[in-house]
Amino acid sequence: MTQIDYTVGQDFASPSFANEIDAEALYEKCMALAKNMWWSWQPEVSNLFRDIDPIRWRQLDHNPIALLREFTAERLAVRASEMVLHSRVNYAFRRLQEYMESSNTWAQTNSGVLGSKPVAYFSAEFGLHESLPVYSGGLGVLSGDHVKSASGLGVPLIGIGLYYSHGYFKQHLTGDGYQREEYYETKVEDLPLEAATLADGTPLTVSIDTRNGRLLAKVWKVAVGRVRLFLLDCNVEGNRPEDRELTSRLYGGDERTRIRQELVIGVGGVKALRALGITPGVYHLNEGHSAFAPLEVVRQRMEDDGMTFEDAVREISEMTVFTTHTPVPAGHDRFDAGLIEEHLGPLRDALRLSPERLMGLGRVNVDDHNESFCMTVIGLKMSRQANAVSQLHGHISRRMWQCLWPHREERNIPIGHITNGVHVESWLAWQMQQLYDRHFPANWKSQMGEADVWQYIHQVDPGELWETHNALKNLLLSFVRRRVSRQCRRRGESDDVVEAARSVLSPNILTIGFGRRFATYKRANLLFKDLDRISRLLDSTDRPLQVIFAGKAHPKDEPGKRFIQEIANLRHDSRFGGRVVFIEDYDINVCRHLIQGVDVWLNNPRRPLEASGTSGQKTVLNGGLNCSVLDGWWAEAYNGTNGFAIGKGTSHSDDRITDKRDSDYLYQTLEESVIPTYYNRDRDGLPRQWIKMMMSSISTLAWRFSSHRMVMDYTRQAYVPAAGGLSCEMKKA
């Protein structure tokens, strides 16, 4: 929109002109707020956008740019006057400016050399908000929370990813419960994207050579608070038609599509940074998708400084941080020699490597010509700072990759751990934030990653905490009823079924939530291994249960789809009608409603296959309790008073025995601990012991498993050392 000069050459005496100026200024301020994702973790600002048009706000997936584009400046000004929004807009705009300009941050005194040599953070997906659909699940949401906390802490960090014009799929279930996938193209003009430009204002396009032609990618810029996120997009003129579709879908296509996407994010991402004049001091590879990046950095050093490959690798590996998230060998990307040569051949030439030597960088056994190229292997070989994402996952990763260091004991394998955390302000319900604002110190948000501030939860009146939780639970049930009735209508079900869906679930019943990717190892159906036993719990006359499920299976994961079908079809079983529901199209919005409103968050993966998990951490912030297998983050979090444990933290070598044993443990935990504690009420109707556990959960877990704590750990333990910013480090003999 055209910038308005407020100072010269205008007749301010004209009321009509003044109104026009006011309308234009209001519109520009609203659009400026909408174009920085900072708004997405500021409830006052998101509530402001909602109040402009609540119905369209919901219909547009809470997308402020799409909403504002439906208004002229004059019409928006009229609506703002009706809703008395002018002062709220001005206040929000001023807060954004102050936030962006502030230098009084944690990083100012803790990030040292990163101020001149920022972190380049690579990830295949970024889950910032449902209105920017370039994510699929946990990895993307973690990346989104990482950059948000980097912004809040003031850590100098640049994000690098891909722009997926069709995003991840929209999920719909057929009448028999089978998952169908649909892809929709997102309008760029409705997103907070602007073209990244060179110093002369020319839009940036990067070029990547392969054996069968050149790949081109334009670069979009997203403002995430103080952090800049750059997303590469192959839908540009000059690419072949199939290459223009290369970055259209997240995790779609075959191995050839996958390696080309990973070439773009890794090699293309490094090229984009150089073209933009950004010289990172650290390269953080979040999973193996971007592990080609260090090779391009090595090539640049060889070209710029006349270094040998070995010398360049020695320097660049010191600057590289690699995070692995996958505890099973089958989950790591692998490519055959033909695909590697086709796509990295020109880069290999520039590195002056033979085909076998390049392949050896991605092999455990460099001399095994039958071994494929593994992205995790090259990530570990090209980094000197490597970490898993929970303490247990660290043990598993060291055991899994000991083969790379055969002469070291397992405990000495150079893979540490930094446990994942969640961005408090993104996942904390508005009502809970107001409660914390009333009882916590005034500056509590600046101390989210520290333990002391969260101890104030014990000063909250139990009745006030319980009332706030129940208000959130009612909001969740209203959301579920809307979604379930809409699902029934879309499937063409009868009016009676649609009407029944509008009153499904009860606020007075213990409510369990389960929301995550429907991979088989996550065992979504564990609760239903004994249908008679669970039906008795669900249909109890005095202490019943109800369960809300949500989640997607990968389009090629037929076993995962069968799990969804099994659970979705329980609605046809008279024993479960009205007590088990499945919400379609799990995304950040659905997740937010679930983790803010459930009484219990259920997590029952087959141990030790859950690297970390973060959905339960989000539940903690809002007063929900975790009931989980002792895997991932919960293995280091559970203390006996802050939630419920399923089993004893062991697993059998036979998965069938493990599953049977864990299902029995789950029923036992529900029958003997969860249900009695929830329904044991005092004369005021309060479950005192349950509320005590809620307070214990918040005080012991909210700070430990926040992404602020996580990013502070990365900064102190990985980023500053990788950037050469340590003032003292003594090596042990």
Side-chain angles (χ1 to χ4, degrees), residues 634-654:
W634 192 239
E636 66 196 66
Y638 175 66
N639 70 2
T641 68
N642 56 8
F644 305 96
I646 301 169
K648 302 177 180 179
T650 61
S651 54
H652 197 277
S653 58
D654 186 328

Side-chain angles (χ1 to χ4, degrees), residues 369-384:
H369 301 320
N370 295 317
E371 184 179 345
S372 57
F373 187 102
C374 177
M375 297 297 282
T376 301
V377 170
I378 189 174
L380 290 169
K381 287 185 177 182
M382 295 292 289
S383 62
R384 293 296 173 267

Side-chain angles (χ1 to χ4, degrees), residues 89 172 199 250 269 324 365 408 512 515 518 562 602 605:
V89 171
H172 299 296
L250 176 59
T324 177
N365 183 352
R408 295 194 186 191
I512 296 174
F518 265 64
R562 287 196 292 273
L602 179 62

